[in-house]
Amino acid sequence: MTHRQILEAISGLLLGMFVAILSSTIVTNALPRIIADLDGTQSAYSWVVTAALLAMTASTPLWGKLADLASKKLLVQIALVIYVAGSAVAGLSQSTGMLIACRIVQGIGVGGLSALAQIILAAMISPRERGRYSGYLGATFAVATVGGPVLGGVITDTSWLGWRWCFYIGIPFAILALVVLQKTLRLPVVRRKVSLDWRGAVLMSASVSLLLIWVTLAGGSYAWLSWQTFAMTGGALALGLAFLWVETWVPEPVLPLRLFRNRTITLASLASLFVGIAMFGATVFLSQYFQLARGESPTKSGLLTIPMIMGIFLSSTISGWVITRTGRWKVWLVAGGLLLTSGLSLLGTMRYDTPYWHIAIFMAALGTGIGMMMQNLVLCTQNQVDPADLGAASSAVAFFRSLGGAVGVSALGAILGSRISGYMRDGLNGLGIPPARAAGETGGDGTIPDLAKLPVPVRTVVESSYGHGLADIFLYAAPAALLAFVMVTCIKEVALRTRSGLQQAGSPERTETPAKARV
């Protein structure tokens, strides 16, 4: 395939990826307003994000397994349809519960788009050349990541639109992606008997969900050391062990355990888990910092995160091009892990009145580390497997990254609520105001406060509490990034293959196939 043929073939994939990422980032700066309008709590704030990540986590291995068994093109189109359905209903939400349910549907579709884009890319392009095109995926990620928050902020601040259009705006892009995919993507269809591991998928989802519910409620609804804690963690562990047992005997496991006999795949998956905790768990709360600790509008909050997004954009694009030219990839993972850890640690020192240029440098380091690690962990995994396992291996890395993100957002969100309440209580006591009397206005009862309605001294206490509490979240996420750094340093660098997945499988190199084989 020529460079032009490949670009035509992946144009629809890039649109699909843009839609997937946009769905996550466009609500980032709108969430404080959304939760306030729907009378939600800090816990609901975390769960609007966690629900989508959890659905991505549970569905990603299934999409990967289906990609090894059925038409990849048809699957990515189905994922887009699911996303459109979830988005359309999410815009009509009347409560946080309804919104969370719609985010689950969106997450299922986004899980398919994220996993299948990597899988189809691997099927068409050799690992040696893939770095170049992974750079395009990284650039798409960066554009959607920077454009999403800004667009979401503008939509939220525009009176005749409102936050509900944050969910509607992605639908035209999804429909356009469907049309482009139909016209440009041509892949041979490998037909064989499909056997899905529904037992494994259900057990895995139940185990992770129970664990996240425990993390969200512990410390609030019941004590960390209580019978509820032992019951829920014990249940999650039992379900997890049952999942592992099922995976040892089903004919087509949702997460083939034999893949983890390969040291690189095991280390890359674990590194992805910790990258997910650090990346999602920290960046999700940046919008809260700018809006509730610095009093910025949703639109400006999006613009203020540009240094982080530019770091992602430049590092993912440049690393992809250099890897294609040199074939060396480990140095980028190691450098990315170091920058990710440094960026989170530095952000942990910020307060509500920290000079913005300091925060900009910290965010740039964080974004650069994310860009170096995210795509290249998938690349080194895909380089280790046979074509028949390409989908399962690719989705395994995405699965662990999404799992880390879901756990990180849920756990850090629960910690954030208690930290902010403590700082706010101390600050109000210093002003001589009983915290119980001001709880409803300041967010001490778990709701998101409206800074514009607060008197200046109380507003300063609230901003300071959010600034300090959110900085603590970054410090809690930093050890996860450090563990990811340790994992990637232990990965052995293996030369990138020069043949694509289709070539290794003995399929024709051309994207055009006979009419009966097209989808």
Side-chain angles (χ1 to χ4, degrees):
M1 296 176 64
T2 64
H3 177 58
R4 179 177 177 178
Q5 288 174 321
I6 293 173
L7 286 180
E8 289 175 352
I10 68 171
S11 56
L13 289 179
L14 295 179
L15 267 174
M17 279 290 291
F18 180 79
V19 167
I21 298 158
L22 190 70
S23 72
S24 300
T25 60
I26 198 169
V27 300
T28 302
N29 289 318
L31 267 180
R33 184 78 56 84
I34 294 172
I35 299 302
D37 286 353
L38 297 179
D39 298 322
T41 63
Q42 180 66 50
S43 176
Y45 183 102
S46 298
W47 267 99
V48 169
V49 179
T50 302
L53 288 173
L54 178 60
M56 283 178 60
T57 302
S59 64
T60 294
L62 278 176
W63 288 111
K65 176 53 62 179
L66 283 170
D68 289 334
L69 303 174
S71 167
K72 298 174 180 63
K73 177 179 175 179
L74 178 61
L75 289 173
V76 77
Q77 290 175 316
I78 292 173
L80 281 166
V81 171
I82 293 173
Y83 165 80
V84 168
S87 299
V89 182
L92 303 173
S93 297
Q94 301 300 311
S95 66
T96 54
M98 181 178 177
L99 178 59
I100 289 169
C102 293
R103 292 286 287 172
I104 291 174
V105 178
Q106 276 189 309
I108 294 172
V110 170
L113 294 171
S114 302
L116 291 164
Q118 296 282 0
I119 293 166
I120 293 173
L121 199 67
M124 293 191 300
I125 307 164
S126 71
R128 179 63 184 266
E129 292 292 321
R130 203 173 301 149
R132 177 184 187 183
Y133 297 97
S134 293
Y136 292 121
L137 287 179
T140 302
F141 179 90
V143 170
T145 305
V146 69
V150 175
L151 183 60
V154 171
I155 291 172
T156 303
D157 287 337
T158 303
S159 58
W160 52 275
L161 287 175
W163 60 261
R164 296 182 186 277
W165 277 92
C166 291
F167 299 102
Y168 299 144
I169 197 70
I171 295 176
F173 290 103
I175 294 173
L176 179 61
L178 277 169
V179 174
V180 173
L181 280 167
Q182 186 63 32
K183 290 181 173 294
T184 61
L185 186 60
R186 295 287 185 268
L187 288 175
V189 179
V190 180
R191 302 190 183 279
R192 56 191 179 104
K193 186 178 179 180
V194 176
S195 176
L196 290 180
D197 177 19
W198 295 110
R199 298 182 193 86
V202 170
L203 287 169
M204 176 188 64
S205 303
S207 176
V208 175
S209 299
L210 191 57
L211 186 65
L212 294 181
I213 292 170
W214 164 68
V215 168
T216 303
L217 300 179
S221 301
Y222 47 80
W224 285 98
L225 292 177
S226 62
W227 70 266
Q228 291 96 331
T229 289
F230 291 111
M232 297 180 81
T233 55
L237 178 61
L239 289 168
L241 292 174
F243 164 70
L244 294 176
W245 176 71
V246 167
E247 298 304 276
T248 61
W249 59 266
V250 292
E252 296 283 355
V254 67
L255 196 64
L257 300 182
R258 56 183 170 76
L259 292 177
F260 298 99
R261 297 171 189 164
N262 185 298
R263 178 181 172 182
T264 297
I265 295 176
T266 301
L267 291 172
S269 298
L270 289 173
S272 294
L273 175 73
F274 296 121
V275 167
I277 292 173
M279 180 177 69
F280 289 105
T283 57
V284 158
F285 298 106
L286 271 175
S287 61
Q288 273 195 309
Y289 171 77
F290 285 118
Q291 291 183 50
L292 297 177
R294 300 181 78 99
E296 304 292 357
S297 68
T299 301
K300 192 171 181 181
S301 296
L303 294 172
L304 291 173
T305 60
I306 285 179
M308 180 181 71
I309 308 309
M310 288 305 298
I312 297 174
F313 174 78
L314 292 174
S315 62
S316 61
T317 305
I318 293 172
S319 66
W321 278 89
V322 174
I323 287 171
T324 296
R325 289 179 177 274
T326 64
R328 304 296 299 273
W329 48 266
K330 182 175 176 177
V331 63
W332 295 100
L333 290 176
V334 174
L338 191 60
L339 284 169
L340 183 61
T341 305
S342 302
L344 289 170
S345 301
L346 291 169
L347 284 169
T349 66
M350 68 183 184
R351 296 295 181 264
Y352 79 105
D353 55 355
T354 300
Y356 173 71
W357 69 271
H358 289 183
I359 298 172
I361 293 172
F362 304 160
M363 287 192 297
L366 174 65
T368 304
I370 292 172
M372 287 181 178
M373 295 192 77
M374 194 168 57
Q375 300 292 344
N376 293 325
L377 283 170
V378 178
L379 176 65
C380 72
T381 299
Q382 291 174 339
N383 190 51
Q384 293 283 319
V385 298
D386 294 328
D389 290 325
L390 200 54
S394 302
S395 61
V397 176
F399 164 79
F400 281 102
R401 185 173 63 237
S402 299
L403 176 61
V407 171
V409 171
S410 183
L412 295 177
I415 295 170
L416 177 63
S418 64
R419 302 294 289 180
I420 290 174
S421 296
Y423 291 134
M424 207 172 292
R425 185 168 54 251
D426 295 340
L428 291 173
N429 284 331
L431 294 176
I433 301 174
R437 194 179 76 189
E441 296 179 348
T442 62
D445 58 353
T447 58
I448 304 297
D450 187 346
L451 296 179
K453 296 180 180 178
L454 299 176
V456 174
V458 176
R459 174 171 175 161
T460 301
V461 168
V462 172
E463 290 180 339
S464 176
S465 300
Y466 269 91
H468 200 168
L470 287 159
D472 290 347
I473 293 304
F474 289 96
L475 284 180
Y476 283 119
L482 181 61
L483 287 172
F485 169 72
V486 172
M487 295 296 171
V488 297
T489 57
C490 297
I491 295 177
K492 181 181 179 181
E493 186 166 26
V494 177
L496 296 176
R497 296 171 179 170
T498 57
R499 303 180 69 207
S500 69
L502 291 176
Q503 289 172 326
Q504 294 176 61
S507 298
E509 289 186 23
R510 300 167 62 243
T511 53
E512 288 293 335
T513 58
K516 64 180 181 180
R518 294 182 185 176
V519 176

